[in-house]
């Protein structure tokens, strides 16, 4: 069963056309801050702070399926939140997300 099938509590996050490829935006969804990223035609929803030093990942670059923290260069996988470097072993929280009727929705 996919994470989309398991998740039932979907919340509206933003318009699907609000992001271009490589763009990211931090939004609040049901009281939770979430970073929405579009990369290579896929939408990702993640926790918005680097687990190494708490830097805002909305300021980071998106490259090769990763988001790169602008403070120390720590990389995290967009699909799984996994850290890719020695500065942190703590992954980002990844939230199921989908596009529906022109809107991006996130499950909490």
């Amino acid at each position: 069963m996919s994470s989309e099938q398991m998740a039932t509590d979907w919340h509206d996050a933003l318009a699907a056309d609000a992001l271009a490829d490589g763009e990211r935006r931090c939004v609040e969804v049901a009281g939770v801050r979430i970073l929405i990223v579009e990369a290579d035609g896929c939408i990702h929803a993640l926790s918005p702070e680097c687990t190494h030093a708490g830097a805002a990942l909305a300021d980071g670059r998106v490259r090769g399926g990763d988001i790169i923290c602008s403070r120390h260069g720590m990389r995290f996988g967009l699909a799984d939140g996994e850290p890719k470097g020695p500065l942190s072993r703590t992954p980002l929280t990844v939230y199921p997300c989908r596009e529906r009727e022109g809107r991006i929705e996130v499950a909490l």
Side-chain angles (χ1 to χ4, degrees), residues 9-100:
D9 199 10
W10 292 96
H11 300 273
D12 183 69
L14 73 154
D17 63 1
L19 294 176
D21 193 48
E23 286 189 331
R24 55 245 166 257
R25 180 162 310 158
C26 194
V27 297
E28 188 168 314
V29 177
V32 178
R33 286 178 32 99
I34 296 176
L35 180 66
I36 308 287
V37 179
E38 177 156 348
D40 298 323
C42 294
I43 303 292
H44 304 276
L46 311 140
S47 49
E49 285 96 23
C50 175
T51 59
H52 165 244
L57 291 173
D59 297 333
R61 293 175 300 165
V62 175
R63 288 230 171 106
D66 295 335
I67 188 155
I68 305 166
C69 177
S70 62
R71 188 174 295 167
H72 296 112
M74 185 70 195
R75 296 175 82 103
F76 296 91
L78 289 170
D80 58 11
E82 287 298 314
K84 299 179 179 181
L87 298 177
S88 178
R89 293 186 178 161
T90 305
L92 301 174
T93 301
V94 176
Y95 300 93
C97 61
R98 67 183 182 189
E99 184 178 332
R100 186 170 173 208

Side-chain angles (χ1 to χ4, degrees), residues 1-11 95-98 106-108:
M1 182 180 286
S2 75
S3 60
E4 184 172 323
Q5 291 169 324
M6 291 174 21
T8 57
D9 199 10
W10 292 96
H11 300 273
Y95 300 93
C97 61
R98 67 183 182 189
V106 177
L108 300 177

